[in-house]
mmCIF file with all atom_site columns, all heavy atoms in Angstrom:
data_model
loop_
_atom_site.group_PDB
_atom_site.id
_atom_site.type_symbol
_atom_site.label_atom_id
_atom_site.label_alt_id
_atom_site.label_comp_id
_atom_site.label_asym_id
_atom_site.label_entity_id
_atom_site.label_seq_id
_atom_site.pdbx_PDB_ins_code
_atom_site.Cartn_x
_atom_site.Cartn_y
_atom_site.Cartn_z
_atom_site.occupancy
_atom_site.B_iso_or_equiv
_atom_site.pdbx_formal_charge
_atom_site.auth_seq_id
_atom_site.auth_comp_id
_atom_site.auth_asym_id
_atom_site.auth_atom_id
_atom_site.pdbx_PDB_model_num
ATOM 1   N N   . ASN A 1 51 ? 27.607 30.318 13.651 1.00 91.00 ? 51 ASN A N   1
ATOM 2   C CA  . ASN A 1 51 ? 26.616 29.410 14.206 1.00 91.00 ? 51 ASN A CA  1
ATOM 3   C C   . ASN A 1 51 ? 26.079 28.557 13.062 1.00 91.00 ? 51 ASN A C   1
ATOM 4   O O   . ASN A 1 51 ? 25.467 29.066 12.128 1.00 91.00 ? 51 ASN A O   1
ATOM 5   C CB  . ASN A 1 51 ? 25.485 30.205 14.864 1.00 91.00 ? 51 ASN A CB  1
ATOM 6   C CG  . ASN A 1 51 ? 24.401 29.324 15.444 1.00 91.00 ? 51 ASN A CG  1
ATOM 7   O OD1 . ASN A 1 51 ? 24.315 28.132 15.166 1.00 91.00 ? 51 ASN A OD1 1
ATOM 8   N ND2 . ASN A 1 51 ? 23.551 29.920 16.248 1.00 91.00 ? 51 ASN A ND2 1
ATOM 9   N N   . LEU A 1 52 ? 26.304 27.245 13.126 1.00 88.00 ? 52 LEU A N   1
ATOM 10  C CA  . LEU A 1 52 ? 25.881 26.328 12.061 1.00 88.00 ? 52 LEU A CA  1
ATOM 11  C C   . LEU A 1 52 ? 24.498 25.753 12.308 1.00 88.00 ? 52 LEU A C   1
ATOM 12  O O   . LEU A 1 52 ? 23.980 25.031 11.473 1.00 88.00 ? 52 LEU A O   1
ATOM 13  C CB  . LEU A 1 52 ? 26.897 25.189 11.920 1.00 88.00 ? 52 LEU A CB  1
ATOM 14  C CG  . LEU A 1 52 ? 28.338 25.624 11.644 1.00 88.00 ? 52 LEU A CG  1
ATOM 15  C CD1 . LEU A 1 52 ? 29.269 24.421 11.658 1.00 88.00 ? 52 LEU A CD1 1
ATOM 16  C CD2 . LEU A 1 52 ? 28.421 26.380 10.334 1.00 88.00 ? 52 LEU A CD2 1
ATOM 17  N N   . GLY A 1 53 ? 23.895 26.058 13.454 1.00 82.00 ? 53 GLY A N   1
ATOM 18  C CA  . GLY A 1 53 ? 22.569 25.547 13.781 1.00 82.00 ? 53 GLY A CA  1
ATOM 19  C C   . GLY A 1 53 ? 22.658 24.409 14.778 1.00 82.00 ? 53 GLY A C   1
ATOM 20  O O   . GLY A 1 53 ? 23.691 24.167 15.389 1.00 82.00 ? 53 GLY A O   1
ATOM 21  N N   . THR A 1 54 ? 21.550 23.703 14.943 1.00 78.00 ? 54 THR A N   1
ATOM 22  C CA  . THR A 1 54 ? 21.508 22.558 15.855 1.00 78.00 ? 54 THR A CA  1
ATOM 23  C C   . THR A 1 54 ? 21.279 21.289 15.048 1.00 78.00 ? 54 THR A C   1
ATOM 24  O O   . THR A 1 54 ? 20.823 21.349 13.900 1.00 78.00 ? 54 THR A O   1
ATOM 25  C CB  . THR A 1 54 ? 20.375 22.703 16.889 1.00 78.00 ? 54 THR A CB  1
ATOM 26  O OG1 . THR A 1 54 ? 19.133 22.822 16.208 1.00 78.00 ? 54 THR A OG1 1
ATOM 27  C CG2 . THR A 1 54 ? 20.598 23.914 17.785 1.00 78.00 ? 54 THR A CG2 1
ATOM 28  N N   . LEU A 1 55 ? 21.583 20.160 15.657 1.00 76.00 ? 55 LEU A N   1
ATOM 29  C CA  . LEU A 1 55 ? 21.372 18.878 14.994 1.00 76.00 ? 55 LEU A CA  1
ATOM 30  C C   . LEU A 1 55 ? 19.905 18.488 15.074 1.00 76.00 ? 55 LEU A C   1
ATOM 31  O O   . LEU A 1 55 ? 19.235 18.762 16.067 1.00 76.00 ? 55 LEU A O   1
ATOM 32  C CB  . LEU A 1 55 ? 22.224 17.795 15.651 1.00 76.00 ? 55 LEU A CB  1
ATOM 33  C CG  . LEU A 1 55 ? 23.730 18.004 15.594 1.00 76.00 ? 55 LEU A CG  1
ATOM 34  C CD1 . LEU A 1 55 ? 24.429 16.911 16.377 1.00 76.00 ? 55 LEU A CD1 1
ATOM 35  C CD2 . LEU A 1 55 ? 24.212 18.026 14.155 1.00 76.00 ? 55 LEU A CD2 1
ATOM 36  N N   . ASP A 1 56 ? 19.403 17.855 14.026 1.00 77.00 ? 56 ASP A N   1
ATOM 37  C CA  . ASP A 1 56 ? 18.031 17.367 13.995 1.00 77.00 ? 56 ASP A CA  1
ATOM 38  C C   . ASP A 1 56 ? 18.024 15.869 14.264 1.00 77.00 ? 56 ASP A C   1
ATOM 39  O O   . ASP A 1 56 ? 18.833 15.130 13.722 1.00 77.00 ? 56 ASP A O   1
ATOM 40  C CB  . ASP A 1 56 ? 17.386 17.605 12.627 1.00 77.00 ? 56 ASP A CB  1
ATOM 41  C CG  . ASP A 1 56 ? 17.227 19.065 12.292 1.00 77.00 ? 56 ASP A CG  1
ATOM 42  O OD1 . ASP A 1 56 ? 17.147 19.887 13.230 1.00 77.00 ? 56 ASP A OD1 1
ATOM 43  O OD2 . ASP A 1 56 ? 17.168 19.396 11.099 1.00 77.00 ? 56 ASP A OD2 1
ATOM 44  N N   . LEU A 1 57 ? 17.095 15.438 15.095 1.00 81.00 ? 57 LEU A N   1
ATOM 45  C CA  . LEU A 1 57 ? 16.881 14.027 15.340 1.00 81.00 ? 57 LEU A CA  1
ATOM 46  C C   . LEU A 1 57 ? 15.641 13.643 14.550 1.00 81.00 ? 57 LEU A C   1
ATOM 47  O O   . LEU A 1 57 ? 14.565 14.183 14.779 1.00 81.00 ? 57 LEU A O   1
ATOM 48  C CB  . LEU A 1 57 ? 16.654 13.771 16.828 1.00 81.00 ? 57 LEU A CB  1
ATOM 49  C CG  . LEU A 1 57 ? 16.288 12.357 17.229 1.00 81.00 ? 57 LEU A CG  1
ATOM 50  C CD1 . LEU A 1 57 ? 17.444 11.408 16.923 1.00 81.00 ? 57 LEU A CD1 1
ATOM 51  C CD2 . LEU A 1 57 ? 15.959 12.299 18.707 1.00 81.00 ? 57 LEU A CD2 1
ATOM 52  N N   . VAL A 1 58 ? 15.786 12.755 13.570 1.00 85.00 ? 58 VAL A N   1
ATOM 53  C CA  . VAL A 1 58 ? 14.657 12.360 12.728 1.00 85.00 ? 58 VAL A CA  1
ATOM 54  C C   . VAL A 1 58 ? 13.800 11.360 13.484 1.00 85.00 ? 58 VAL A C   1
ATOM 55  O O   . VAL A 1 58 ? 14.272 10.308 13.895 1.00 85.00 ? 58 VAL A O   1
ATOM 56  C CB  . VAL A 1 58 ? 15.141 11.760 11.388 1.00 85.00 ? 58 VAL A CB  1
ATOM 57  C CG1 . VAL A 1 58 ? 13.960 11.315 10.552 1.00 85.00 ? 58 VAL A CG1 1
ATOM 58  C CG2 . VAL A 1 58 ? 15.985 12.767 10.625 1.00 85.00 ? 58 VAL A CG2 1
ATOM 59  N N   . LYS A 1 59 ? 12.527 11.712 13.662 1.00 89.00 ? 59 LYS A N   1
ATOM 60  C CA  . LYS A 1 59 ? 11.572 10.831 14.333 1.00 89.00 ? 59 LYS A CA  1
ATOM 61  C C   . LYS A 1 59 ? 10.841 9.945  13.348 1.00 89.00 ? 59 LYS A C   1
ATOM 62  O O   . LYS A 1 59 ? 10.354 8.879  13.709 1.00 89.00 ? 59 LYS A O   1
ATOM 63  C CB  . LYS A 1 59 ? 10.545 11.663 15.099 1.00 89.00 ? 59 LYS A CB  1
ATOM 64  C CG  . LYS A 1 59 ? 11.081 12.392 16.296 1.00 89.00 ? 59 LYS A CG  1
ATOM 65  C CD  . LYS A 1 59 ? 9.945  13.152 16.955 1.00 89.00 ? 59 LYS A CD  1
ATOM 66  C CE  . LYS A 1 59 ? 10.258 13.581 18.346 1.00 89.00 ? 59 LYS A CE  1
ATOM 67  N NZ  . LYS A 1 59 ? 9.069  14.119 19.027 1.00 89.00 ? 59 LYS A NZ  1
ATOM 68  N N   . GLY A 1 60 ? 10.701 10.385 12.113 1.00 91.00 ? 60 GLY A N   1
ATOM 69  C CA  . GLY A 1 60 ? 9.985  9.606  11.116 1.00 91.00 ? 60 GLY A CA  1
ATOM 70  C C   . GLY A 1 60 ? 10.043 10.255 9.749  1.00 91.00 ? 60 GLY A C   1
ATOM 71  O O   . GLY A 1 60 ? 10.295 11.458 9.615  1.00 91.00 ? 60 GLY A O   1
ATOM 72  N N   . ASN A 1 61 ? 9.820  9.450  8.719  1.00 93.00 ? 61 ASN A N   1
ATOM 73  C CA  . ASN A 1 61 ? 9.764  9.918  7.337  1.00 93.00 ? 61 ASN A CA  1
ATOM 74  C C   . ASN A 1 61 ? 8.385  9.596  6.779  1.00 93.00 ? 61 ASN A C   1
ATOM 75  O O   . ASN A 1 61 ? 7.886  8.489  6.979  1.00 93.00 ? 61 ASN A O   1
ATOM 76  C CB  . ASN A 1 61 ? 10.835 9.221  6.491  1.00 93.00 ? 61 ASN A CB  1
ATOM 77  C CG  . ASN A 1 61 ? 12.224 9.615  6.928  1.00 93.00 ? 61 ASN A CG  1
ATOM 78  O OD1 . ASN A 1 61 ? 12.647 10.734 6.724  1.00 93.00 ? 61 ASN A OD1 1
ATOM 79  N ND2 . ASN A 1 61 ? 12.939 8.688  7.547  1.00 93.00 ? 61 ASN A ND2 1
ATOM 80  N N   . VAL A 1 62 ? 7.795  10.560 6.095  1.00 96.00 ? 62 VAL A N   1
ATOM 81  C CA  . VAL A 1 62 ? 6.471  10.382 5.511  1.00 96.00 ? 62 VAL A CA  1
ATOM 82  C C   . VAL A 1 62 ? 6.447  10.931 4.099  1.00 96.00 ? 62 VAL A C   1
ATOM 83  O O   . VAL A 1 62 ? 7.313  11.714 3.711  1.00 96.00 ? 62 VAL A O   1
ATOM 84  C CB  . VAL A 1 62 ? 5.372  11.071 6.369  1.00 96.00 ? 62 VAL A CB  1
ATOM 85  C CG1 . VAL A 1 62 ? 5.204  10.371 7.706  1.00 96.00 ? 62 VAL A CG1 1
ATOM 86  C CG2 . VAL A 1 62 ? 5.670  12.541 6.582  1.00 96.00 ? 62 VAL A CG2 1
ATOM 87  N N   . ILE A 1 63 ? 5.436  10.507 3.342  1.00 96.00 ? 63 ILE A N   1
ATOM 88  C CA  . ILE A 1 63 ? 5.253  10.966 1.968  1.00 96.00 ? 63 ILE A CA  1
ATOM 89  C C   . ILE A 1 63 ? 3.841  11.530 1.844  1.00 96.00 ? 63 ILE A C   1
ATOM 90  O O   . ILE A 1 63 ? 2.869  10.885 2.253  1.00 96.00 ? 63 ILE A O   1
ATOM 91  C CB  . ILE A 1 63 ? 5.459  9.807  0.971  1.00 96.00 ? 63 ILE A CB  1
ATOM 92  C CG1 . ILE A 1 63 ? 6.887  9.256  1.111  1.00 96.00 ? 63 ILE A CG1 1
ATOM 93  C CG2 . ILE A 1 63 ? 5.186  10.274 -0.457 1.00 96.00 ? 63 ILE A CG2 1
ATOM 94  C CD1 . ILE A 1 63 ? 7.140  7.994  0.327  1.00 96.00 ? 63 ILE A CD1 1
ATOM 95  N N   . VAL A 1 64 ? 3.739  12.730 1.278  1.00 97.00 ? 64 VAL A N   1
ATOM 96  C CA  . VAL A 1 64 ? 2.440  13.386 1.125  1.00 97.00 ? 64 VAL A CA  1
ATOM 97  C C   . VAL A 1 64 ? 1.572  12.581 0.163  1.00 97.00 ? 64 VAL A C   1
ATOM 98  O O   . VAL A 1 64 ? 1.984  12.271 -0.954 1.00 97.00 ? 64 VAL A O   1
ATOM 99  C CB  . VAL A 1 64 ? 2.609  14.834 0.612  1.00 97.00 ? 64 VAL A CB  1
ATOM 100 C CG1 . VAL A 1 64 ? 1.266  15.485 0.342  1.00 97.00 ? 64 VAL A CG1 1
ATOM 101 C CG2 . VAL A 1 64 ? 3.410  15.658 1.620  1.00 97.00 ? 64 VAL A CG2 1
ATOM 102 N N   . SER A 1 65 ? 0.356  12.226 0.621  1.00 96.00 ? 65 SER A N   1
ATOM 103 C CA  . SER A 1 65 ? -0.555 11.426 -0.208 1.00 96.00 ? 65 SER A CA  1
ATOM 104 C C   . SER A 1 65 ? -1.792 12.205 -0.649 1.00 96.00 ? 65 SER A C   1
ATOM 105 O O   . SER A 1 65 ? -2.425 11.848 -1.635 1.00 96.00 ? 65 SER A O   1
ATOM 106 C CB  . SER A 1 65 ? -0.996 10.158 0.544  1.00 96.00 ? 65 SER A CB  1
ATOM 107 O OG  . SER A 1 65 ? -1.688 10.508 1.727  1.00 96.00 ? 65 SER A OG  1
ATOM 108 N N   . LYS A 1 66 ? -2.159 13.267 0.068  1.00 96.00 ? 66 LYS A N   1
ATOM 109 C CA  . LYS A 1 66 ? -3.339 14.071 -0.279 1.00 96.00 ? 66 LYS A CA  1
ATOM 110 C C   . LYS A 1 66 ? -3.072 15.495 0.177  1.00 96.00 ? 66 LYS A C   1
ATOM 111 O O   . LYS A 1 66 ? -2.615 15.711 1.300  1.00 96.00 ? 66 LYS A O   1
ATOM 112 C CB  . LYS A 1 66 ? -4.589 13.514 0.406  1.00 96.00 ? 66 LYS A CB  1
ATOM 113 C CG  . LYS A 1 66 ? -5.839 14.315 0.158  1.00 96.00 ? 66 LYS A CG  1
ATOM 114 C CD  . LYS A 1 66 ? -6.849 13.520 -0.613 1.00 96.00 ? 66 LYS A CD  1
ATOM 115 C CE  . LYS A 1 66 ? -8.151 14.291 -0.723 1.00 96.00 ? 66 LYS A CE  1
ATOM 116 N NZ  . LYS A 1 66 ? -8.550 14.527 -2.067 1.00 96.00 ? 66 LYS A NZ  1
ATOM 117 N N   . VAL A 1 67 ? -3.359 16.455 -0.693 1.00 97.00 ? 67 VAL A N   1
ATOM 118 C CA  . VAL A 1 67 ? -3.082 17.852 -0.388 1.00 97.00 ? 67 VAL A CA  1
ATOM 119 C C   . VAL A 1 67 ? -4.367 18.661 -0.414 1.00 97.00 ? 67 VAL A C   1
ATOM 120 O O   . VAL A 1 67 ? -5.162 18.554 -1.353 1.00 97.00 ? 67 VAL A O   1
ATOM 121 C CB  . VAL A 1 67 ? -2.071 18.454 -1.390 1.00 97.00 ? 67 VAL A CB  1
ATOM 122 C CG1 . VAL A 1 67 ? -1.799 19.921 -1.073 1.00 97.00 ? 67 VAL A CG1 1
ATOM 123 C CG2 . VAL A 1 67 ? -0.767 17.664 -1.378 1.00 97.00 ? 67 VAL A CG2 1
ATOM 124 N N   . TYR A 1 68 ? -4.565 19.452 0.616  1.00 97.00 ? 68 TYR A N   1
ATOM 125 C CA  . TYR A 1 68 ? -5.659 20.416 0.723  1.00 97.00 ? 68 TYR A CA  1
ATOM 126 C C   . TYR A 1 68 ? -5.023 21.807 0.712  1.00 97.00 ? 68 TYR A C   1
ATOM 127 O O   . TYR A 1 68 ? -3.804 21.930 0.820  1.00 97.00 ? 68 TYR A O   1
ATOM 128 C CB  . TYR A 1 68 ? -6.434 20.201 2.027  1.00 97.00 ? 68 TYR A CB  1
ATOM 129 C CG  . TYR A 1 68 ? -7.090 18.851 2.133  1.00 97.00 ? 68 TYR A CG  1
ATOM 130 C CD1 . TYR A 1 68 ? -6.419 17.778 2.705  1.00 97.00 ? 68 TYR A CD1 1
ATOM 131 C CD2 . TYR A 1 68 ? -8.391 18.650 1.670  1.00 97.00 ? 68 TYR A CD2 1
ATOM 132 C CE1 . TYR A 1 68 ? -7.022 16.527 2.807  1.00 97.00 ? 68 TYR A CE1 1
ATOM 133 C CE2 . TYR A 1 68 ? -9.005 17.398 1.773  1.00 97.00 ? 68 TYR A CE2 1
ATOM 134 C CZ  . TYR A 1 68 ? -8.307 16.346 2.343  1.00 97.00 ? 68 TYR A CZ  1
ATOM 135 O OH  . TYR A 1 68 ? -8.904 15.115 2.450  1.00 97.00 ? 68 TYR A OH  1
#
Side-chain angles (χ1 to χ4, degrees):
N51 179 346
L52 303 175
T54 59
L55 298 176
D56 295 335
L57 175 65
V58 178
K59 291 181 163 189
N61 294 290
V62 292
I63 300 172
V64 175
S65 61
K66 177 115 174 122
V67 179
Y68 298 90

